[in-house]
Amino acid sequence: MPRFTAILTALTLSLTLASPLAAQSQSAVQAEELAGFKLNLRASQDVVAGETFKADADYLTKHGKPEAAPFAVVVPLSGDGSYQSRVVETPQVGLVKFVFSTEAGGLIEAVTFSELTLPMSDDEEPRLNYLMEIMSALIVPGLIDGKAEASRSNTRKVEVGGHTAVEIFGTYAHPDFGKMHWRLVGLPNPEVEAGVVALAQISEEAVPITSPDDFPSSLSGRVLESFSFE
């Protein structure tokens, strides 16, 4: 595939996390805020319902991103009230952010969606390879540079919600939230250049990720599995 310039606002994505509740002190102890919360990745009953969020043309225009790809996701809701789901329509970067936290303010997960522009190609494979290359070379260094105990574990092509995607993941240590798993997912639109890239950040204290196969069962993973272009 020819060397085109791909536009990724995900280049400005940051792994810096603020407390999920505005009034929550950054010095609070994550373990206390979680109060023993653990997401059971094997139990679907932890999520009994979901709310559809649409980043449609009106939403994107309202937020100054009329050229971005319209999409929709389903945001999981707690079946027992053990966690809260919050939508941030005006994140510091990106199009929309979903935050999952306990009532006490313990961070469980967060996932941010940003716009991606990727040149079209007659074949899917070269396009995915190019996306993998630019995500690895341009986005990941900006995500993990300067982060304590930062690692990058793998880069691969996966199926996310029925869409062919590129996935890169790793971990880092956050001073307030402890060990975090990060998952970067590029979702090219097969029909047009405008696609979506998502960055998930998952607290190991709250969600015991033991392998990449656990990602789809996490709360951010369930959001991604519901993803569809509009």
Side-chain angles (χ1 to χ4, degrees):
M1 183 177 185
R3 297 294 181 183
F4 293 99
T5 299
I7 303 170
L8 294 111
T9 50
L11 291 173
T12 61
L13 281 176
S14 172
L15 285 174
T16 301
L17 283 166
S19 182
L21 300 183
Q24 186 66 43
S25 170
Q26 283 291 317
S27 62
V29 179
Q30 166 79 342
E32 293 179 358
E33 292 174 330
L34 288 173
F37 174 90
K38 286 280 188 183
L39 182 69
N40 186 344
L41 295 169
R42 306 291 177 258
S44 60
Q45 62 265 30
D46 285 350
V47 178
V48 299
E51 290 186 354
T52 299
F53 179 90
K54 290 189 176 184
D56 56 18
D58 289 341
Y59 173 90
L60 296 171
T61 299
K62 173 184 175 182
H63 293 286
K65 304 289 185 179
E67 303 302 320
F71 66 92
V73 294
V74 176
V75 183
L77 304 175
S78 173
D80 57 9
S82 60
Y83 65 83
Q84 300 176 339
S85 307
R86 183 164 65 93
V87 179
V88 181
E89 291 194 5
T90 54
Q92 290 183 331
V93 295
L95 303 171
V96 64
K97 181 177 184 179
F98 304 99
V99 179
F100 302 96
S101 62
T102 63
E103 186 174 358
L107 177 67
I108 301 170
E109 303 183 41
V111 58
T112 303
F113 289 83
S114 296
E115 65 266 39
L116 157 71
T117 301
L118 189 68
M120 298 299 292
S121 173
D122 293 336
D123 298 316
E124 179 185 61
E125 200 68 13
R127 198 169 186 236
L128 291 172
N129 290 339
Y130 182 56
L131 177 58
M132 182 179 294
E133 181 179 331
I134 60 175
M135 285 172 60
S136 298
L138 301 179
I139 303 178
V140 173
L143 295 178
I144 64 177
D145 284 355
K147 304 298 186 298
E149 301 176 34
S151 71
R152 167 183 161 170
S153 301
N154 204 356
T155 303
R156 62 182 187 174
K157 299 168 189 174
V158 292
E159 289 291 322
V160 175
H163 300 271
T164 303
V166 172
E167 175 189 68
I168 308 175
F169 49 87
T171 61
Y172 71 101
H174 191 280
D176 296 307
F177 304 122
K179 184 176 180 179
M180 301 292 296
H181 295 267
W182 61 269
R183 182 191 186 198
L184 186 67
V185 178
L187 288 152
N189 191 326
E191 303 297 330
V192 295
E193 292 187 353
V196 170
V197 63
L199 173 64
Q201 298 175 77
I202 304 169
S203 165
E204 185 173 84
E205 183 75 22
V207 186
I209 298 289
T210 59
S211 82
D213 293 337
D214 290 332
F215 282 130
S217 297
S218 67
L219 296 174
S220 58
R222 296 174 193 187
V223 173
L224 282 162
E225 289 301 317
S226 72
F227 179 90
S228 62
F229 287 109
E230 292 288 284

